[in-house]
Amino acid sequence: QVQLVESGGGSVQAGGSLRLSCADSGYTYSSYCMGWFRQAPGKEREGVAAIYIGGGRTFYAEFVKGRFTISQDNAKSTLYLQMNNLKPEDTAMYYCAAWVGSCSTWDVSALGYLEVWGQGTLVTVSS
């Protein structure tokens, strides 16, 4: 059974940094996408960043470009999201997901085939 388990969330002040991790167990395909999404209270879930596991190409939402970096460690089967210069508006539950399909266009209601989501990790940024 495929599982994605996030960790690394917490509370920081504006301008601070956090690194989220997503441990991947069981998603064994030669090429697929993994990404980070977030959902703030009262808002819809939105895409933050994604990476093409088969080739390493990355994609970012405009509002995190230059601040967040998505990366993978194949040996550890772990996805990361390094978040720098955090802002209060970054406060949200962050989820990782894996899917087979487009890595650059994110329809959170239907990412693609074999879609799997983690349970989320909470990030709170205070001003």
Side-chain angles (χ1 to χ4, degrees), residues 32-49:
Y32 56 98
C33 308
M34 291 194 75
W36 289 96
F37 298 78
R38 69 185 188 184
Q39 188 165 17
K43 295 188 176 181
E44 294 186 351
R45 191 171 297 190
E46 61 183 356
V48 174

Side-chain angles (χ1 to χ4, degrees), residues 45-104:
R45 191 171 297 190
E46 61 183 356
V48 174
I51 186 168
Y52 176 53
I53 299 300
R57 190 176 176 188
T58 57
F59 307 87
Y60 294 93
E62 283 296 325
F63 53 81
V64 300
K65 280 185 178 179
R67 299 190 298 127
F68 292 9
T69 302
I70 189 170
S71 62
Q72 59 171 124
D73 183 332
N74 284 334
K76 297 181 180 179
S77 298
T78 302
L79 181 74
Y80 299 103
L81 184 69
Q82 178 66 43
M83 306 187 295
N84 298 327
N85 191 21
L86 283 161
K87 304 176 181 180
E89 51 264 43
D90 294 318
T91 294
M93 186 71 79
Y94 283 71
Y95 301 89
C96 72
W99 69 97
V100 177
S102 171
C103 299
S104 60

